[in-house]
Amino acid sequence: MTRNVVQARRTTPFKEVVRLLDHHRISGVPVLDADDKVLGVVSGTDLVRAQAHRAGSGPVRAVTAADVMSSPAVTVHPEQTVPDAARLMERRGVERLPVVDEEDRLIGIATRRDLLRVFLRTDDDIRHQVTEEVLVGVLGLPAEAVRVFVRDGVVTLDGRVELRSQVPEAVHAAWRLEGVVGVMNALTFRVDDCAPPAGAGGAEVP
């Protein structure tokens, strides 16, 4: 995310919002209240729509950011993953997501460009993270237990883990890493801890 966020207040005049977008070469800004809580977002589309609706309507009062913003704003929290943010952005049809803390105060903004930037990570960087954070950190495996190959952001996991339940856990954890575009699973397991115990479900014999 970008931490240095261009922003407007609810009382920011229409023309000042236009100047902000033009000067910073951006397509939208979050609108904040006096406590830095996000009230909405103003985009270039919102500004054009507001002017179109006013055309020929005669004298009206001054327009502010609060009058033209899209509200409530679609926001995310910093702990949310890039894939989750990307899905939200696509589902809601927005170009930017204000990042807020637990009290809805603005701490940054994530744009489509920010989300795409994570896919510029090198394959070696991704491979190292999968090994250290997923295999060793999450699953507690020796680093050499699973071979990790990464090509163009696609991770291949090949080797043997102790438990069957560790296979989907490893795949899911690798999928959630920034820059990963796919996971190929070639893992096997030693113990099937997902199978029901022998005789489970049968009637007890007196």
Side-chain angles (χ1 to χ4, degrees), residues 4 17 27 38 49 64 73 77 101 108 121 125 130 134-135 144 151 158 163 187 192 196 206:
N4 187 19
V17 177
S27 59
V38 180
R49 184 183 299 117
T64 67
H77 293 280
D101 62 16
R121 294 184 66 194
D125 188 24
V130 171
V134 176
L135 301 179
E144 65 277 5
R151 182 173 182 179
D158 183 18
L163 304 175
L187 294 173
D192 187 355

Side-chain angles (χ1 to χ4, degrees), residues 20-102:
L20 287 173
L21 299 187
D22 180 64
H23 177 73
H24 295 280
R25 299 182 181 277
I26 54 179
S27 59
V29 293
V31 181
L32 311 183
D33 67 10
D35 295 322
D36 290 337
K37 294 183 178 181
V38 180
L39 300 173
V41 174
V42 174
S43 68
T45 301
D46 293 321
L47 297 174
V48 171
R49 184 183 299 117
Q51 283 300 94
H53 289 168
R54 292 179 64 196
S57 61
V60 294
R61 66 177 178 82
V63 176
T64 67
D67 297 318
V68 298
M69 68 183 180
S70 296
S71 180
V74 181
T75 62
V76 291
H77 293 280
E79 66 272 12
Q80 288 183 251
T81 66
V82 168
D84 288 342
R87 283 190 287 269
L88 178 62
M89 188 176 286
E90 185 65 23
R91 186 169 67 249
R92 299 298 293 271
V94 296
E95 297 291 327
R96 66 204 61 77
L97 295 169
V99 183
V100 298
D101 62 16
E102 62 277 1

